Structures are given as structure tokens and as C-alpha cells.
Amino acid sequence: MSEDKRIINDYEIIQSFYVGKREVVVAENQKAKYKYICGYYESNEIFERIDDCFASNDYLDIMTLFCERAKEQVELCKENELSDLGILSSDMYFRISNDDDLTGKIVVENPDNLRREYRNAENQLFYVTGGNGAKPNSIGTKVYGYGFSDKKHCFIRRYDIVGIADSEKLPEWAKKDLADIKKQINRERKEVR
């Protein structure tokens, strides 16, 4: 992939829209049988691809599809949004220090590190299960656990955490989410055995 231009399979990405969990792109290759494609772009450290593609030589058809798919992503975000949840205020958590062990705690992610559509309390809360970054005075930064918004196992970086949630000030929805996460962890442990 080029640093200046994003090129994949000889198609240059000329439009993109990233909201929610997917990036919708339009790519162009004037030498290809179909000059334009619209699809969902994804990448990680190993691969990159454009999935669920539609190809055409009609630019306006492709842009119409691009707009429709972008709108779908916005609507999905709206469906999953808990609109009454604002950002957690600093009185709802304790600042962390390098001496804190975060394992088994609910931490609060800095909202400035979240994409705009995810800047709310549900996306800030993270239940820590381990990782080098969870240990006190560690060189590592990865903190493993479960996000409250999707209940999926993943990691965040210690330097993205602003504090440890005050369990006495947790809203009822967060207590319910925590109970769900702990049940999920127990199920996963039983499946491994």
C-alpha cells in the first residue's frame, strides 16, 4: 500500500467514509474492465482487502451505492447508540498511576482516543482481565479485557486509560453489563476445559 495513495489490487481509493465498524470506499482503475468499485475496506498488520464489492463503469452509480452504504453505517451506529449516555465525568473514576494493578478492575478509556461516534460512557468502560499493561510498573502497554459496548475480548493500551471506575458511582446499566461480561468469561473458561 502506498503511503500517499491507498492502492489495493491496482485500484486507488478515491473516496472513503468511516463511521461505526466499517469503512466504505470507492476505488478507481482507469485501465481495468470496470473502472470503479465500491466496497468495505478492512486491514490489519497482515492483510488488506475490499470486501462486498460492486463494480461499474458508471461513476454516478458507484457514488449512489457509496452514499447508500455510508448512510447504512450511520443508521447502524444510531441503532446501537444509548443516547442518554454522556462522557464519564472525572468524579466517576480515580486517576491511575504506574503503581496500579488494573487486573479485575473496570477502567475508563480517554474519550479523546475514541472515534466521535463512540464517545460515550458505554464505550469508555473496559473490564480488565490481564496483559502486561495491566501490571504495575510494566514496560508493556497492552491491557486485555472486555469492552462494555460489545462485550468482545480485545485490548486497549494503558496510556489510553484515564482512570479506574468508582464502583459506587457505576450506573445500573454498567453493573448489568459487568455481570453479563463476567458470565461470558465463565462460559468461555468452561468451553476451554
Side-chain angles (χ1 to χ4, degrees):
M1 184 114 145
S2 168
E3 289 294 324
D4 300 326
K5 298 177 181 181
R6 294 198 303 168
I7 298 174
I8 183 166
N9 295 340
D10 296 325
Y11 279 85
E12 178 184 351
I13 295 174
I14 58 172
Q15 294 288 334
S16 70
F17 180 78
Y18 202 141
V19 68
K21 302 204 182 296
R22 301 189 91 181
E23 180 180 11
V24 183
V25 297
V26 171
E28 173 184 50
N29 179 348
Q30 289 296 318
K31 295 177 183 174
K33 178 179 178 183
Y34 297 105
K35 294 177 182 161
Y36 306 102
I37 59 173
C38 177
Y40 298 103
Y41 176 81
E42 63 180 297
S43 69
N44 61 31
E45 293 86 17
I46 300 170
F47 75 90
E48 62 182 353
R49 70 181 182 172
I50 299 176
D51 192 25
D52 197 11
C53 282
F54 179 78
S56 175
N57 286 318
D58 188 327
Y59 178 74
L60 296 178
D61 280 349
I62 287 292
M63 288 310 293
T64 300
L65 179 61
F66 174 76
C67 292
E68 289 168 358
R69 287 184 171 185
K71 185 175 180 189
E72 280 176 15
Q73 294 307 304
V74 170
E75 294 302 321
L76 285 171
C77 283
K78 284 182 179 180
E79 285 175 20
N80 295 321
E81 182 181 51
L82 299 175
S83 59
D84 59 339
L85 302 179
I87 301 291
L88 292 174
S89 58
S90 60
D91 66 325
M92 298 179 79
Y93 58 85
F94 305 103
R95 289 254 176 233
I96 65 166
S97 74
N98 286 334
D99 297 328
D100 289 325
D101 185 348
L102 305 178
T103 306
K105 298 197 169 86
I106 301 165
V107 296
V108 178
E109 195 169 355
N110 184 343
D112 294 339
N113 296 330
L114 298 171
R115 294 209 342 251
R116 286 172 182 83
E117 64 270 27
Y118 296 124
R119 289 183 185 165
N120 61 47
E122 188 181 35
N123 287 292
Q124 282 184 275
L125 294 176
F126 190 83
Y127 180 71
V128 179
T129 58
N132 283 335
K135 297 174 185 170
N137 300 308
S138 175
I139 295 173
T141 62
K142 285 186 179 178
V143 176
Y144 288 93
Y146 294 79
F148 276 50
S149 62
D150 61 6
K151 319 280 185 301
K152 291 185 180 175
H153 190 261
C154 61
F155 74 88
I156 59 175
R157 300 288 182 174
R158 186 177 182 111
Y159 49 77
D160 290 335
I161 298 170
V162 293
I164 299 170
D166 183 345
S167 58
E168 293 179 15
K169 294 185 178 178
L170 276 180
E172 285 305 312
W173 63 263
K175 291 175 184 175
K176 181 188 175 308
D177 282 358
L178 178 60
D180 291 346
I181 289 169
K182 287 183 176 182
K183 285 178 191 173
Q184 180 177 334
I185 291 169
N186 287 334
R187 275 194 310 271
E188 290 170 359
R189 285 182 180 152
K190 287 177 184 176
E191 289 172 7
V192 171
R193 291 180 191 172

